[in-house]
Amino acid sequence: MYKEDFRNMTEENRNSSSSSSAFPHTDTMSAILITAYSVALAGGVIGSITMSFVLVKMNTLSVTTTAIINLVVVHSLLLFTVPFRLHYYVHKTWVFKMAACKLVSAMVHIHMYLTFLFYVITLVIRWLIFFQWKDKVEFYRKLHAIAASAAVWVFVMVFVVPVLYFEYGRFGPYEDTTCFKFHKELQQESVKALNYTIIAAVACVTSLLLGLQVFILVKVVRKFSTSLWLHQEFWAQLKNFIFICVIIICFLPYHLFRAYYIRHMSDVAPLESYNEVFLSLTALSCLDLLSFVLSGS
């Protein structure tokens, strides 16, 4: 009887270890990922709900407001997928279909680049007003705002989502119990070239945004040097740094590390976990809406 029980326990341990052996992350890495996505989920939900109430009370057709509305939508879509990630990192087994894995995995990238796009649009509009090229930038009809937003989302749904869905898992067999391990695609030269192009573009645009914002701040400081802290324009430009800081803190580290990861992913095993950690930082951009509300911007 005791021998049979011992045999059963041994068999259970062997099965559990084999089922979790494909899980690529250590307990420490799993804890970091769980913490990052939990913070993003909690803060993002609060920020999205709060900002939604703020936007409902606003009666404006500005391009900036439209961009923020789209920001709420894209954050909400990512937050919907976060519980699936948390379930995987906690239980170390993907119990959903591979199709769901592809969509959840693709969503974090779609979210990152759409958020980046809406940030750039918002900053450019604010700078146009600052340089007095435009007194205000508004849509003349709500239908125009809806059409502009719909154009972005149609492009994503028609061109981006299908490409990501069908390309993920195309160049290698993946187990149904594991997820977010599509690194074999990066071995293709075309995929490498695309990634390097995106990395260079994000780095260049971020540097340009930061340089222009610093230039504007210096100009404002020189203009209102005697009573700087009393002028609304100075605080408005400081609030623009919220967007740039989110880009630098959440998006830029992932892209800089990814350049190294693509080059050395076959040499060092833990790089896959490090890449996932840097990717989790991009989800923390969901906290931006909460920071906008708290800062009054």
Side-chain angles (χ1 to χ4, degrees), residues 36-37 40 78 82 108 111 250-251 279-287:
Y37 282 111
L78 174 69
V82 169
V108 71
H111 166 264
C250 296
F251 298 156
L279 185 61
S280 69
L281 292 180
T282 66
L284 294 178
S285 61
C286 292
L287 302 177

Side-chain angles (χ1 to χ4, degrees), residues 114-162:
L114 280 181
T115 300
F116 184 82
L117 173 64
F118 294 137
Y119 281 178
V120 173
I121 292 173
T122 303
L123 286 171
V124 169
I125 295 303
R126 290 188 173 191
W127 289 339
L128 287 177
I129 296 173
F130 172 80
F131 287 111
Q132 297 180 350
W133 292 336
K134 291 284 186 177
D135 294 332
K136 56 184 178 179
V137 183
E138 294 185 348
F139 291 107
Y140 294 105
R141 295 182 179 179
K142 289 185 178 180
L143 182 62
H144 295 165
I146 296 173
S149 301
V152 174
W153 286 103
V154 167
F155 176 83
V156 172
M157 297 303 296
V158 173
F159 295 101
V160 179
V161 173

Side-chain angles (χ1 to χ4, degrees), residues 183 187 192 260-272:
H183 55 280
Q187 297 174 357
K192 285 184 179 180
Y260 178 83
Y261 171 65
I262 294 173
R263 187 177 180 85
H264 300 281
M265 62 180 180
S266 59
D267 302 332
V268 185
L271 287 183
E272 184 179 351

Side-chain angles (χ1 to χ4, degrees), residues 3-284:
K3 290 183 179 180
E4 185 177 353
D5 292 339
F6 179 76
R7 189 182 301 111
N8 292 335
M9 292 176 61
T10 304
E11 186 66 24
E12 290 177 0
N13 291 333
R14 185 182 299 114
N15 292 336
S16 61
S17 62
S18 62
S19 63
S20 61
S21 60
F23 187 75
H25 310 300
T26 63
D27 290 341
T28 302
M29 288 298 178
S30 297
I32 294 174
L33 291 169
I34 292 171
T35 301
Y37 282 111
S38 297
V39 171
L41 180 62
V45 169
I46 296 174
S48 297
I49 293 175
T50 306
M51 182 59 74
S52 298
F53 282 110
V54 173
L55 292 171
V56 167
K57 296 179 182 179
M58 297 178 64
N59 186 19
T60 178
L61 298 175
S62 70
V63 177
T64 301
T65 303
T66 304
I68 298 299
I69 292 174
N70 283 277
L71 205 57
V72 173
V73 174
V74 72
H75 284 346
S76 300
L77 290 175
L78 174 69
L79 294 173
F80 177 78
T81 66
V82 169
F84 296 95
R85 283 184 172 271
L86 291 175
H87 183 278
Y88 177 60
Y89 294 137
V90 170
H91 297 282
K92 301 181 179 180
T93 301
W94 184 258
V95 298
F96 310 100
K97 300 293 184 180
M98 182 53 64
C101 173
K102 292 182 179 181
L103 291 176
V104 172
S105 183
M107 190 60 225
V108 71
H109 296 281
I110 295 172
H111 166 264
M112 174 170 47
Y113 293 115
L114 280 181
T115 300
F116 184 82
L117 173 64
F118 294 137
Y119 281 178
V120 173
I121 292 173
T122 303
L123 286 171
V124 169
I125 295 303
R126 290 188 173 191
W127 289 339
L128 287 177
I129 296 173
F130 172 80
F131 287 111
Q132 297 180 350
W133 292 336
K134 291 284 186 177
D135 294 332
K136 56 184 178 179
V137 183
E138 294 185 348
F139 291 107
Y140 294 105
R141 295 182 179 179
K142 289 185 178 180
L143 182 62
H144 295 165
I146 296 173
S149 301
V152 174
W153 286 103
V154 167
F155 176 83
V156 172
M157 297 303 296
V158 173
F159 295 101
V160 179
V161 173
V163 170
L164 289 176
Y165 180 82
F166 290 110
E167 289 297 321
Y168 270 32
R170 176 184 173 186
F171 297 104
Y174 297 97
E175 299 181 16
D176 291 336
T177 56
T178 59
C179 193
F180 316 128
K181 292 186 64 176
F182 301 108
H183 55 280
K184 294 180 181 178
E185 273 69 20
L186 292 175
Q187 297 174 357
Q188 304 299 315
E189 293 300 325
S190 59
V191 178
K192 285 184 179 180
L194 177 60
N195 274 265
Y196 284 134
T197 302
I198 294 174
I199 291 168
V202 170
C204 291
V205 172
T206 302
S207 300
L208 181 63
L209 294 176
L210 180 61
L212 187 55
Q213 187 61 61
V214 170
F215 170 78
I216 292 174
L217 267 177
V218 171
K219 189 174 182 178
V220 171
V221 169
R222 289 179 177 177
K223 184 177 180 180
F224 304 113
S225 57
T226 56
S227 56
L228 182 64
W229 305 103
L230 300 178
H231 282 274
Q232 184 178 2
E233 184 61 47
F234 173 72
W235 292 107
Q237 295 304 325
L238 278 184
K239 290 175 181 178
N240 284 349
F241 260 119
I242 295 178
F243 294 98
I244 299 177
C245 285
V246 172
I247 293 174
I248 293 175
I249 295 173
C250 296
F251 298 156
L252 193 58
Y254 168 73
H255 286 86
L256 296 180
F257 177 80
R258 190 164 181 80
Y260 178 83
Y261 171 65
I262 294 173
R263 187 177 180 85
H264 300 281
M265 62 180 180
S266 59
D267 302 332
V268 185
L271 287 183
E272 184 179 351
S273 294
Y274 297 154
N275 183 68
E276 283 297 314
V277 169
F278 279 105
L279 185 61
S280 69
L281 292 180
T282 66
L284 294 178

